[in-house]
Amino acid sequence: MLFLLAAYAAVAVAIPWWQPRLGRAVWAVASLVPLATVAWAGTRAARVLDGGEYRETLAWAPSLGLTVDLRLDPLSLLMLWVVAGVGALVLLYCRYYVERDAARQAALLLAFAGAMTGLVLADNVFVLYVFWELTTVASFLLIAGRGEEENERRAARQALLVTVAGGLVMLLGLVLLGWTAGTYRISAILADPPRGGAVSAAAVLVLIGAFAKSAQMPLHGWLPAAMVAPTPVSAYLHAAAMVKAGVYLVARLAPALAEVAPWRPMVLAVGLTTMVLAAWRALRATDLKLLLAYGTISELGLLVTLLGAGTRTAALAGAVMLLAHAAFKSALFLSVGILDHRAGTRDIRELSGVGRRMPVLFAVTALAAASMAGIPPLVGYLGKEAYFEAFLYGDARLDGHRQLTVVLVIGSALTVAYAARFVQGAFGGPPEGAARRAERPEAGFVAPVAVLAGAGLALGVGYAGTAALAAAYADAYPPGPHGPYELSLWHGFTPVLGLSALTLALGGLVHLGRRSLPVTALLPDAQRAFDRTIAAADRLALTVTRHTQVGSLPLYLVVLLTTVVVVPGAALAAGAPPLGSPLPWWSPVEPFLAVVVLTAAAAVVGTRHRLTGILLTGAVGYGVAGMFLVRGAPDLALTQFLVETMTLVVVVLVLRRMPARFSPGRTMTRVRLVRAAAAGAVGVLVTCFALVASAARTAPAISSGYAHRMEEAGAENIVNAIVVDFRALDTLGEISVLLVAAVGTVSLIRVGGRGDARTPGGGPGGPSPTAHWDEPVRTWLPGAPERPGGERSVLLEVATRLLFPSILVLSLFLLFSGHYGPGGGFAGGLVAGQALVLRYLVGGRADLGAAVRVPASVVTGSGMLLAAAVGTFPLLLGGVPLESTVVTLHPPVVGTVKFATSLFFDVGVYLLVVGVVLELLSAVGVSLGQDMAEADEAEATAEDEEQGGPR
Amino acid sequence: MTRSGNRRADRVLPALRHVPMIVWLWLLWILLWGATSAVILVGGLLVAVGVVLSFPLPAVLPGAVPEPLRIGRLLIHVLTDLVKSGCTVAWQVVRHGRRVSCGIIEVPLRVDSDLLIAAVAEFTTMSPGSVVVEIDRRRKRLYVHALPVRDRRDIAHRRAEVQAMERRIALAVGHRRGVEDPGPNPARPDDARDDP
Amino acid sequence: MSVLLDTVTAVLFPAGAAFCFLGALGLVRFPDTMSRLHAAAKAQTLGLVLVLVGASAQMPGRHAPALLLVALFQLFTAPITSQIIARTAYRTHGLDRNLLLGDALADRLARDGTPLGGPGRARPDEDAER
Amino acid sequence: MTAVLPALPVLLPALGAGVPLLRLSRPVTRGLGVGVLAGVVGCGAALLVLADRHGPQTLRVGGWPAPLGITLVADRLSALLLTVSALVALAVLLFAVGQGVAEERRSSAVVFHPAYLVLVTGMSLAFLTGDLFNLFVAFEVMLAASYVLITLDGDENRTRAGMTYTIVSLTSSLLFLSLVALVYAATGTVTLAQLGARLAELPDGLRSALALLLLSVLGIKAAIVPLHFWLPDSYPTAPAPITAVFAALLTKVGVYALLRTQTLLFPRTGVWILLACTAIITMIVGILGALVQDDLNRLLSFTLVGHIGFMLFGLALFDTRGLTGTILYVVHHIVVQAALFLVAGLAVFRTETAALHRMAGRPRPGPLVVTLFVLPALSLSGVPPFSGFVAKLALLEAAVAQGTPAAYALAGTALLTSLLTLYAMTRVWTAAFMGRPPDRREAGPESPPGAGGDRPRGTRLMLAATAGMAATGVAVAVCAGPLARIGERAAEDLLHPREYRSAVLEGGER
Amino acid sequence: MTLLYGITLTVIAVSGIVTLLRLVRGPLALDRIMALDVLVTMTIAATAVGSAARDDTTAIPVLVVLALLAFIGSVTAAHLIEKREGMR
Amino acid sequence: MNTIDVTMALVIGGLFAVGFFLMLQRSLMRIVLGFILLGHGTNLLLLVAGGTPGRPPVPDGRIDDPAGTADPLPQAMALTAIVITFGLTAFLMALAYRSWRMTGHDEVRDDVEDRRIGTVRERAEAGSAADRETGGTAPGGER
Ligand code: NA
Ligand code: NA
């Protein structure tokens, strides 16, 4: 069985490649696979009908219950023949029908056939679902075609959504069913059906899926819409095969679930209602395909009723009707396809007299229609007899079977009526219009119709074979109270025969009186319901999205902060853990620093000047650094001071090119209050959280362990040892951040590619007349003379000349002394960076270039490379990454030199930081005065806007 | 002198001009470490030489031989001045506060060297009560904001003070010519160039 | 020795602190940027130097020079900042001309025919205006 | 040699990140990136095998034992996600090189490659680290790189989006750091393996407040509703490969961190109602958002938000099956979302618009592109037999097995979301890949992306990368069996982290 | 001695607060730069006193760095102001 | 015993409040300032909530009792955090600058596409355009 599926898949995939060479022969090739399937099934039939079975298994994801279990049993066999037989004929038929996209359609039809094959063979609920959805997808693709027409796309989407929705519901049902049964194997579930409330729920869910797939009311709307697909597709998917999947599932599970609470009422109610109403609707259709589509819905209703009823006779009738319907409905569809193809229309009102123009087609179509109407000795009649028998003499389980029989009679009569309407409408009347122009179909075109119609006759006449096939499935049920029902063309003059006759008579009457039929549509307009559902979903989506996704960053942040405050805050408030007994302060200096920090921070809020803002922020930073010092963190304080200065420099260098004041935004007081409340709440939360958390500490901090390991680390400064050794990985990450931030900053600032343009400082007023007074005479910094005199200062240049080497020595000191005191690569690098800032500031870009003759990115890159390489190097010696060793050397003169190899890591950090500073400088490093005119303009604009009132 | 000796001298002499800076950097290194172990001494020398060589800058030479005694005197003067005028400013804060009176004074200088002018400006600004507002390098003038300044006499007095400071500085670095010169001479060459 | 050092500290610390305070007071009390600069740069620096010397007296011998180094650097860099600020203040009208007894620089600029545009008063930014 | 494997996924890209800055030629830079990522994939795979056979692979970085130093831990979950993520990163890199995003301007050649490798460094570190603070650092590394990438060569729109993205991410980072501080305040350690026990001793209120703060913080990174707003406003504006790698990886790292920390630090029994509700809301709001979008990338971004809900689904159940489902879903989603964004990139590259209503009027992409879209689109919608189905099935089974009302609510919402995802996908499909091709080409495309010159070459590499991703998606479905088993064992590990703890805390000293 | 340190520190701290007033009030950005500079000076002084009081030398590198480098920020900021205002 | 004192808790809370208030503004420069302040806040939190205060964790030639020494681990972590914050601050500044260069302001404006979807009428117009192309079920159009 697996090889069958593989064959379908392989040929389907290969067809697009073969098609250009094969031309129309591609259809014949494609049909070989289903033909082979029919034959293969034939070889297995004897044993299967004898009560045997064939199994194959392929593990997929067994722990999830996903095992590709395949099983050939009587029901599968029956379905397999239907699917493969009709499939082969449809493919052969396509040779004449399909004009374009042959490769695509052949591949899809074959893939679909393969999926159906898998579906009917599946013995695992999930595998069944897999193939189920594959048929859905294939159906979508076949309906949509190229999707050039709006209605094609729409119909395809509708079919997809409805059946997938049903499928999803069914999936949940299947999971529930399998979970309750303890197995996802269908045969095992059937062998030992689970019971209980969960199973009822599962049954309902599964039925909904089956109903959607089989176009049962009220989920039927997609099937008529799907008639936009090419007729072979309609014949195969939407008559013979795919829509049977739901019926098949009902048939498959009914032996296990028919006795579960809502199964039978649901099946009977939905099935019979659908049968009658859809048949009624078919009587009003003027498009032949639509007529057949409603007819199909009606028949599917009947099949659901029969196969879901859960008695032997009903199942027998269902199996027969399944075969019958596959044969006659696909024959009829194919017939319509020929009409459409040759006459160019399939509207009853335009077709007239085709019967005389195409007598053979007329004959075989009529034969198929007769089977649909249930005229003996066709198979349709066999089925009709059986289902009247099933309901008329149904056992007690078919509650209210007499009333149900009446419904069946009405439905069957209507079927007779629309069958007549079909034949009459398609072929009747004098030849005129379209029919006269129509070209006669080739024999090969009609042959599939003939074969299918003939099959109806053969199955009827050779009822013994039909019976064997159907009974093999139906025997899953116990025989009814009157013993097992036998199929036969003649049971004698029984009430059932009377009912059959009655349906024909009634049907004939309805057909004759068709012009006086009431025009009320008894069927709800499923199309509109679907459209409304979709529109409602879209409206809901729009409403929800409009109110959540407003696009305003401040609002997003307010929501975010509120969430952060409310969610953990509520837990904290609810738990109310103790605040502990905190000291008012650790050192009496703290309150002073606190005043500085908080005052400056508050002042930042009030300012409208960018520069003032950054200066005040700097004050906060210095205050915080002071706190670091007070709490015994000189390393932190050192870094904080350096970073603060560097931040000031970077911000100021950027600000140089931006307006002095903030853009004058007008914010409503209410909004400001909301923001303040959110921010304040976070402040309160953090305060409480910090107190509570620190009060809760019971275990000692693990950091007490560091002091004992300092010898091994070869250092005295624990913080530095942590940074470069114990937790060097943090530092590696940290410098990666720096690297990438610097790289990003450069790329952001060098926008527009005019970063290098140099405009001598001077806007409207020009530089101060004194600006060039203090230009030095001598060269103190190599690059400085390249600057305009107005930007130079003798004091600064002399001082820089003196300070620069000293600062570098200081930076190296910090780098090397980091192991013993505050310092380290980062602080050292920043100090060196400050030296370069000074050079840049005083001597300009050229002087910075003279100081460092390597591109900034090379310095950064080598820093990163060095740090990472130092981390990786121990691997070569068989050590672990970022491992540090204490090295002791005895060079001459000096005596003993002891250092940890983590020093080289620190050197990498140092280099990287220097490089980053260089990158930042080179990014913002255009001569002072650049862009000032622009900044001024922007500010003027902003001022105008401010005066002009709110925007 | 041979040619090669000349060339060597050409190389050695400029290098020698960097010795003061190297010495200072070495000293700085030692002071920072606060230790004089062999590793630190040797390392410091390496660092100092390395920094000077890796980041070449024009040499800083006062143009004459500094006189340690005068340097000492200068420092003492500066420190006492610092305290003295520190008190003055402090008194101004306490006494006058919002009604302080000041003036901007033009001080012509006699030295004509970037370095010395910068030094004068530096020391002037360092000493309380006077801040250099502008330096006119070519015309050798400092514009000093002085506080407190009540009358013309104060102005003259402050100007004289700055000029006295100038003289002390020039003498301390052994730079007599600049001081002895009677007045400002814009055409005077740079100290670096008049160095033999 | 210790007593002597303690005495040095005991004298220098309060003195330094006092100068710090007076400097801060001047920063608040003086009427314009230029005069505040005096308080900021002078009294402050002096105070700091006194405190540093006082502290170095208490430090272990090998660290004392480092504190003096701090004083040295502070003495060197503070005037630079002051000069730049003073220069900027003058160029950007950051001084109150009403306090000036005389302005040789303005006279000079007038003689050169390049007066610094705009009349007297300092221009505070909006923060202060509100 | 295998002992140091956990470090290589971090160290290799970190080493590689510095190299492009040394101004090497383009082929070298590209080759380096590809080589490094291939190496990371290899390491990840090796770690996965080792972790699955021999338990968590640990490495004491610097040789220091756990509470003092940082220990890298590759257990099944981290190794699995690392491998898949690195694979995606590799494909995306190829795509980016093909599209020329990496070298649109001369200067950005030294931006993209370092930033991209740093991104991978951060990602690997986040997966592997066994230390809470180091996890924060890892996030920062990853995010810093992402800030740079999202604003790469940015126009006005991209800059604006970059602001939103950066600022929200920074906010979450600050909160994360505060959380680390609070955790250390309460416990005195940041080693994950140690934290579980120490946190258990805390008062309930504090403990659950910490758990919820962590949830909120990681929720921002993982884009959980209502903390998701930033995502659809920012991701879609980036160049296609960058959007792809963000969508595929960044949020997943957040989910991973959520899985790791909630199970290791705040274990609970039974369904987590708050998270269940959040998951439901996330699914609904996300997928509804997708329905109204006209911009292809935005639409996909909203589906991303919606499908984060699926991952929370399993975590909310907090049992083996649920976590298995989540793990499978994460793996599936990484691959499929990347493939979708890449194919969207292809479509946009060819039709020169991302607006669905305009795409319809443009020349249709070829059948190959359609196929490349169909596979991941169906997979995302959970249509069998693709990977999304397997993952969804695992979640459904978990929900049914648990059988609580919350579980059923989750299952129902998940199914509805699947359906709506399919609806959204069909909208894309019908708009972008169907419809009548225009009779004449519209004059003047509004935004010609990339340099016109070497487009065919670029397109081929882009196609190959996309096809690779789509194929990987199929492979995930095919290998669902082994994946599910590994996922199940990984979930077991998460729920019973004894092995994890002992691997980190016990064993050899330096 | 403890009292001495206490008094010194308090005076310096109060000076810091007084300086803060200027920092917050401005009115010129130059005033703020100056005030920030003074704040740094105070920090150095206070730290020196604190180091003496705690007999702790670890803060010395911090002081050296501050004394040597704090002026760079001020000079940069002053430059900005001159460039801006100079044009008017 | 609390490792954190009331003053510190208040300072940290204050920094968080002010910082987040600034983060909630539209001007990116204010956001940068807010971010810097928040960085200070978190670093302080890390330091003070993390460990006991005391002498610097540098032995300084003496052997101190570990009890009187400050906890070094939070210091190291804060050190890392400071550096990261610095790098990101620079990047944010660059972003502000770029925004200003491209748009003439550094404000974080609302998302255009969101606004478009939020505006029903506009959406209806776009939606009807989409309908024609994509199959009639595009949302929101008043048909
Ligand atoms: Na007719
Ligand atoms: Na000048």
Side-chain angles (χ1 to χ4, degrees), chain B residues 43-64:
Chain B
L45 195 56
L46 290 177
V47 164
V49 172
V51 165
V52 168
L53 289 185
S54 323
F55 298 91
L57 288 169
V60 186
L61 285 179

Side-chain angles (χ1 to χ4, degrees), chain A residues 265-309:
Chain A
M266 248 180 106
V267 163
L268 295 179
V270 172
L272 289 174
T273 313
T274 306
M275 179 193 187
V276 173
L277 296 186
W280 179 259
R281 180 70 179 76
L283 284 177
R284 297 178 54 243
T286 53
D287 181 344
L288 286 174
K289 275 187 83 173
L290 214 52
L291 190 157
L292 290 180
Y294 281 109
T296 306
I297 296 173
S298 169
E299 294 284 350
L300 291 171
L302 174 64
L303 288 174
V304 164
T305 309
L306 297 177
L307 292 166

Side-chain angles (χ1 to χ4, degrees), chain A residues 925-948:
Chain A
V926 201
S927 75
L928 293 173
Q930 158 84 15
D931 295 336
M932 292 309 289
E934 287 173 41
D936 216 45
E937 271 168 38
E939 194 170 14
T941 321
E943 274 168 17
D944 292 346
E945 282 176 2
E946 192 175 18
Q947 280 150 13

Side-chain angles (χ1 to χ4, degrees), chain B residues 89 93 97-98 100 102 131 145 147, chain C residues 22-44 82 85 94-96 99 121-122, chain E residues 22-23 25-32 34-35 38:
Chain B
V89 172
V93 172
R98 305 209 62 84
V100 67
C102 17
V131 172
H145 183 272
L147 170 157
Chain C
L22 288 170
L25 204 60
L27 203 57
V28 178
R29 289 199 70 193
F30 277 153
D32 72 337
T33 308
M34 202 69 97
S35 47
R36 280 176 212 134
L37 200 50
H38 288 273
K42 307 303 136 49
Q44 275 303 311
S82 300
I85 290 179
L95 81 170
D96 186 351
L99 301 172
R121 269 299 292 173
Chain E
R22 181 51 70 203
L23 181 72
R25 268 171 47 189
L28 297 190
L30 282 175
D31 291 304
R32 300 183 208 272
M34 210 192 307
V38 170

Side-chain angles (χ1 to χ4, degrees), chain B residues 86-141:
Chain B
C87 295
T88 316
V89 172
W91 176 245
Q92 290 297 316
V93 172
V94 178
R95 177 69 181 78
H96 297 288
R98 305 209 62 84
R99 303 182 49 80
V100 67
S101 69
C102 17
I104 295 179
I105 306 165
E106 185 181 51
V107 184
L109 298 180
R110 276 173 285 188
V111 292
D112 189 9
S113 132
D114 284 349
L115 185 65
L116 290 183
I117 289 180
V120 175
E122 170 97 15
F123 279 102
T124 307
T125 306
M126 195 191 297
S127 62
S130 53
V131 172
V132 174
V133 177
E134 289 284 1
I135 303 169
D136 191 343
R137 170 65 188 89
R138 300 275 166 184
R139 289 185 277 210
K140 297 187 290 183
R141 279 175 172 78

Side-chain angles (χ1 to χ4, degrees), chain D residues 67 133 136-137 140 144 147-148 151-157 159-160 162-164 166-167 170-171 174-175 177-178 180-182 184-185 190 233 291-295 298 302 356-357 360-361 423 427 430-431, chain F residues 16 20 23 28 31 35 38-39 42-43 45-46 49-51 71 73-74 77 80-81 84 88 91-92 95-96 98-99 102-103 106-114 116-117 123 129-130 133-134 137-139:
Chain D
F133 183 75
F136 161 78
V137 173
E140 287 311 296
Y147 305 149
V148 173
T151 51
L152 192 67
D153 286 331
D155 53 5
E156 191 177 324
N157 200 21
T159 309
R160 192 208 57 72
M163 286 180 176
T164 303
T166 309
I167 291 161
L170 288 176
T171 307
L174 288 167
L175 292 170
L177 187 58
S178 311
V180 176
L182 293 170
Y184 188 81
V190 283
D233 282 0
L291 295 186
V292 299
Q293 302 302 321
D294 185 47
D295 180 299
R298 288 181 77 92
F302 270 101
L356 291 179
H357 74 271
Y423 175 41
R427 275 194 60 212
T430 48
Chain F
F16 267 82
F20 273 125
M23 290 281 276
L28 196 53
I31 292 175
F35 176 67
L38 282 170
T42 43
N43 290 333
L45 181 64
L46 202 51
D71 190 341
L73 183 54
M77 296 194 291
T80 304
I84 290 174
L88 297 179
F91 180 79
L92 265 185
L95 201 55
R98 177 152 189 145
S99 166
M102 310 219 70
T103 62
D106 66 337
E107 295 203 344
V108 190
R109 294 276 160 92
D110 285 354
D111 189 275
V112 184
E113 187 76 12
D114 286 340
R116 201 176 69 76
I117 286 168
R123 179 63 207 174
E133 299 298 338
T134 64
T137 42

Side-chain angles (χ1 to χ4, degrees), chain A residues 347-353 424-428:
Chain A
D347 193 313
I348 287 179
R349 290 161 301 187
E350 293 170 23
L351 284 168
S352 184
Q424 162 85 38
F427 296 97

Side-chain angles (χ1 to χ4, degrees), chain D residues 353-381:
Chain D
T353 177
L356 291 179
H357 74 271
R358 284 204 203 109
M359 266 190 187
R362 297 292 165 90
R364 287 188 292 163
L368 184 54
V369 175
V370 176
T371 313
L372 290 180
F373 172 78
V374 168
L375 290 178
L378 290 179
S379 184
L380 188 72
S381 315

